[in-house]
């Protein structure tokens, strides 16, 4: 039977009602399932680094009314790997980047910070990667991606790339 399952709310069909995104393991194989109105409508095998996978939730990345399902597909000592599924053509489809399943590191240490956020206005995601030599000032890149849904598989398309610099100074008290 299924083990290690997690669930998260995702509005797969754009009706402003939370459906269920379920991530679970059968033996050594991880699965993702879309459930609409309590009925399983799509079940796919998930490939990823592991060792565990977790349903995160839904967020609208593109300009339709449906939410994309966010999933943790792997983890390391200081970061998690996050990927996405879209629900279209009556099924879950993994979002791809450069012909492979898209996955981005999210996490931080004193010397680096990586993350993903919805870019805003439902136009895409921002992926940032930064490093620091002093643990205070972080510099790196920020990339904006949109999802192209016109092909056989949903694909991330790189838009703007920018240099990013942030300071993480603590308040000083006297």
């Amino acid at each position: 039977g299924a083990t290690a399952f997690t669930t998260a709310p995702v509005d797969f069909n754009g009706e402003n009602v939370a459906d269920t995104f379920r991530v679970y393991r059968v033996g050594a194989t991880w699965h993702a399932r879309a459930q609409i109105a309590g009925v399983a409508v799509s079940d796919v095998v998930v490939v990823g680094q592991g060792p565990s996978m977790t349903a995160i939730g839904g967020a609208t990345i593109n300009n339709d009314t449906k939410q994309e399902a966010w999933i943790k597909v792997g983890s390391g000592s200081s970061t998690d790997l996050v990927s996405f599924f879209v629900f279209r053509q009556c099924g879950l489809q993994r979002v791809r980047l450069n012909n492979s399943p898209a996955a981005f590191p999210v996490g931080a240490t004193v010397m680096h910070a990586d993350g993903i956020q919805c870019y805003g206005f439902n136009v895409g995601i921002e992926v940032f990667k930064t490093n620091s030599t002093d643990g205070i000032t972080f510099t790196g890149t920020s990339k904006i991606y949109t999802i192209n849904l016109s092909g056989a598989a949903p694909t991330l398309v790189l838009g703007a790339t920018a240099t990013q610099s942030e300071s993480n100074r603590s308040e000083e008290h006297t």
Side-chain angles (χ1 to χ4, degrees):
T3 61
F5 72 88
T6 58
T7 61
V10 177
D11 183 7
F12 286 115
N13 53 6
E15 295 178 337
N16 274 338
V17 175
D19 302 306
T20 303
F21 181 52
R22 178 180 298 263
V23 175
Y24 62 96
R25 187 176 67 212
V26 176
T29 304
W30 286 93
H31 296 260
R33 174 179 291 168
Q35 293 177 208
I36 296 176
V39 177
V41 293
S42 180
D43 196 291
V44 295
V45 171
V46 183
V47 176
Q49 173 183 328
S52 66
M53 298 191 186
T54 307
I56 296 173
T60 301
I61 296 174
N62 53 2
N63 61 358
D64 62 13
T65 59
K66 301 174 186 175
Q67 289 185 328
E68 283 67 44
W70 294 49
I71 178 175
K72 180 185 89 168
V73 294
S75 56
S77 61
S78 64
T79 58
D80 290 329
L81 289 175
V82 175
S83 190
F84 330 96
F85 283 91
V86 297
F87 184 78
R88 68 176 196 158
Q89 301 168 348
C90 299
L92 282 174
Q93 295 180 351
R94 182 92 173 259
V95 176
R96 302 180 70 77
L97 176 63
N98 300 326
N99 297 316
S100 297
F104 297 99
V106 175
T109 67
V110 174
M111 302 312 255
H112 84 272
D114 300 322
I116 290 179
Q117 67 179 357
C118 291
Y119 185 64
F121 308 105
N122 299 328
V123 296
I125 58 168
E126 178 181 20
V127 177
F128 60 90
K129 295 178 183 242
T130 61
N131 291 296
S132 176
T133 57
D134 60 8
I136 296 171
T137 302
F138 289 79
T139 58
T141 60
S142 170
K143 296 181 178 183
I144 307 300
Y145 292 92
T146 57
I147 298 178
N148 177 1
L149 295 174
S150 64
T155 305
L156 289 177
V157 177
L158 179 61
T161 299
T163 301
Q164 181 163 339
S165 179
E166 294 184 23
S167 182
N168 187 25
R169 298 187 187 276
S170 301
E171 289 184 42
E172 294 180 16
H173 298 280
T174 55

